[in-house]
Amino acid sequence: LGLKYAFKEDIFLRASYERALRIPTDGEIFGDFNTIRPNFTLQPELSNNLNVGGFFKHYFNDDQYFSIEANTFFRDQTNLIRLQALGNLPAQFINEAEVSAQGFELSMRANPLKDVSLTASFTSQSIIKEGDRNRGIQTALAPIFLIFQIIF
């Protein structure tokens, strides 16, 4: 279910809700028999997701503009599939019983000249265990990404 409200063509807000099922990939089930062990007991992920975001774009002239997009998401997941390090042994994909995840994404783009485009993106997410025993514990490797790009 999604909603979008456009104030103008280049300014809008949107929100969506979804109930999603993600089936484990072949690589997650079978591993590579080298650095990742197989796990034939992996279960599909099930999640309830809420996404909210907005977009703004301003034209200075036909060739020059600036845009910014911000989005946030909240997820309640069951059976999150993640890679578990096993010490000196090969890693293995496992299911994390219950987790909640939240994150934020920000993208900016500018075309200061006709054939030059500058892009910057930032993504951050936090994944917290929700089960009785491990409630409130951050799972390993909740990434933060920062990307800059110049295109001529």
Side-chain angles (χ1 to χ4, degrees), residues 15-141:
S16 66
Y17 168 80
E18 63 185 347
R19 183 156 171 84
L21 175 75
R22 187 179 84 79
I23 297 172
T25 66
D26 292 347
E28 291 167 339
I29 293 172
F30 297 107
D32 63 6
F33 293 97
N34 185 19
T35 59
I36 300 175
R37 295 179 2 182
N39 184 348
F40 301 113
T41 63
L42 278 180
Q43 299 295 310
E45 289 180 357
L46 186 61
S47 64
N48 291 298
N49 308 320
L50 176 65
N51 307 291
V52 179
F55 177 82
F56 170 79
K57 188 176 201 178
H58 176 72
Y59 283 93
F60 298 101
N61 59 44
D62 289 343
D63 297 326
Q64 298 174 319
Y65 69 86
F66 170 79
S67 68
I68 186 167
E69 182 172 2
N71 296 290
T72 188
F73 62 87
F74 304 91
R75 292 189 172 91
D76 284 324
Q77 294 175 281
T78 303
N79 292 328
L80 170 73
I81 298 170
R82 70 175 187 87
L83 190 60
Q84 173 73 44
L86 300 172
N88 293 332
L89 300 172
Q92 184 177 46
F93 284 96
I94 63 166
N95 287 113
E96 202 64 69
E98 294 178 47
V99 301
S100 64
Q102 57 187 0
F104 179 77
E105 301 169 336
L106 179 68
S107 296
M108 293 179 285
R109 183 172 181 165
N111 279 45
L113 304 170
K114 182 178 181 182
D115 295 323
V116 177
S117 175
L118 307 171
T119 304
S121 298
F122 172 80
T123 301
S124 175
Q125 62 179 319
S126 173
I127 303 171
I128 305 293
K129 295 180 183 181
E130 293 292 340
D132 292 335
R133 283 188 357 198
N134 298 313
R135 185 171 184 79
I137 297 174
Q138 172 99 18
T139 63
L141 299 175

Side-chain angles (χ1 to χ4, degrees), residues 1-4 14-17:
L1 172 66
L3 301 169
K4 179 179 174 181
R14 65 177 160 235
S16 66
Y17 168 80

